[in-house]
Amino acid sequence: MNEIGDSTSAHPPRSAPDATTHSPQNPKLSSTATSRAAQFSSHEMKDFPPASLSDNATPPLAHETFKPRASQTHQASDSTELSTLTKKIRASLRQYPDFPSPGILFEDILPIFASPTTHAALLHALELSVTSNFPLERPDVIVGLEARGFLFGPSLALHLGAAFVPLRKGGKLPGECETMTAGGKEYGTGDVWQLQKGAGVGKGKKVLVVDDVIATGGTAAAAGKLVNRLGATLMGYLFLLELDFLKGRDKLDAP
């Protein structure tokens, strides 16, 4: 996966277009946060929730951490909020037809981060997704996938009162690491992925894996297996976009 400095949401290929984030059709905005990847919506992206965010709204405070919610009233309210927000987030995305190759539609998520209001709306939407899917518990650790999972993973972790741990390609993390080669892969055949031992993922910890896009699911599945190897509990996965025609969710297995 490209480094965080790369400016796009769809990951450009090394030589040929990367099917993981480029598609001849619009990917749907989705959130997979249950055992088999529950989405924000069916085929349309389900709307992200704005907590009454206006252009002059103040982003949520970092210390306003996650509080489990279980009542049906709260769940209905959250669903309505998510629906409203998703429209707001979707409207901020930029599409680039025929990039980097003819027939490819490139989805750019960076405009989300260009606006403090939209950025705050995204974080609130993700937080609501977590509370909706896990009303009685919260993650202890957010694992963000290299590299776009680093764009919002740390901020989401802060909002949820959780730790953040990055999944990186082999050789990029110091110290002792748990290592796995992803089969089928998203960013190149047999990519090696690592989680640092002693960095927060361990026995008794509940972990949520996040990234911008789920495509073939290879990297996300590798992250889940590494979480389990380190003795933690994999709660689920959370993504901004899903290329559902690639059926990546079929590779995901969360208890």
Side-chain angles (χ1 to χ4, degrees):
M1 186 185 279
N2 298 326
E3 288 296 329
I4 196 72
D6 190 308
S7 64
T8 55
S9 153
H11 310 293
R14 291 163 178 159
S15 56
D18 184 349
T20 60
T21 43
H22 300 88
S23 163
Q25 51 188 297
N26 284 318
K28 68 185 173 198
L29 195 60
S30 72
S31 163
T32 65
T34 61
S35 62
R36 297 296 290 177
Q39 316 166 36
F40 267 141
S41 67
S42 51
H43 275 293
E44 296 283 316
M45 2 184 250
K46 196 172 183 186
D47 302 333
F48 273 130
S52 301
L53 290 170
S54 65
D55 289 338
N56 297 318
T58 301
L61 297 176
H63 65 265
E64 293 177 350
T65 55
F66 171 85
K67 297 178 181 62
R69 303 165 68 176
S71 75
Q72 291 183 345
T73 300
H74 279 151
Q75 290 176 346
S77 174
D78 288 354
S79 178
T80 300
E81 225 183 338
L82 277 169
S83 180
T84 303
L85 259 196
T86 300
K87 293 184 177 109
K88 180 183 183 74
I89 300 299
R90 180 63 175 173
S92 73
L93 299 179
R94 281 190 302 234
Q95 291 77 37
Y96 293 92
D98 300 318
F99 180 83
S101 301
I104 301 300
L105 179 64
F106 190 94
E107 293 279 346
D108 185 6
I109 67 169
L110 285 195
I112 294 173
F113 305 99
S115 162
T117 300
T118 309
H119 189 179
L122 171 65
L123 292 174
H124 185 57
L126 294 172
E127 185 176 357
L128 283 181
S129 178
V130 174
T131 60
S132 296
N133 284 288
F134 305 101
L136 299 178
E137 59 182 347
R138 68 172 179 83
D140 299 303
V141 182
I142 300 294
V143 167
L145 308 190
E146 185 178 333
R148 289 177 181 82
F150 302 170
L151 284 173
F152 58 90
S155 298
L156 176 60
L158 190 62
H159 276 242
L160 296 176
F164 176 79
V165 175
L167 176 85
R168 303 220 61 188
K169 279 190 175 179
K172 292 187 176 181
L173 290 171
E176 190 177 3
C177 297
E178 189 70 34
T179 302
M180 180 171 181
T181 300
K185 81 25 68 55
E186 284 181 313
Y187 304 105
T189 303
D191 278 344
V192 174
W193 299 98
Q194 292 183 321
L195 284 177
Q196 205 172 31
K197 291 184 178 179
V201 178
K203 187 175 181 180
K205 300 295 184 180
K206 292 174 289 189
V207 177
L208 186 66
V209 174
V210 305
D211 199 10
D212 65 329
V213 176
I214 177 173
T216 64
T219 303
K225 291 177 182 177
L226 285 172
V227 166
N228 289 329
R229 281 188 190 175
L230 288 170
T233 298
L234 177 62
M235 289 179 62
Y237 301 85
L238 188 66
F239 305 98
L240 303 189
L241 297 165
E242 178 184 13
L243 302 184
D244 56 349
F245 64 94
L246 292 175
K247 302 185 183 303
R249 67 174 52 219
D250 293 344
K251 294 182 181 176
L252 305 182
D253 183 18

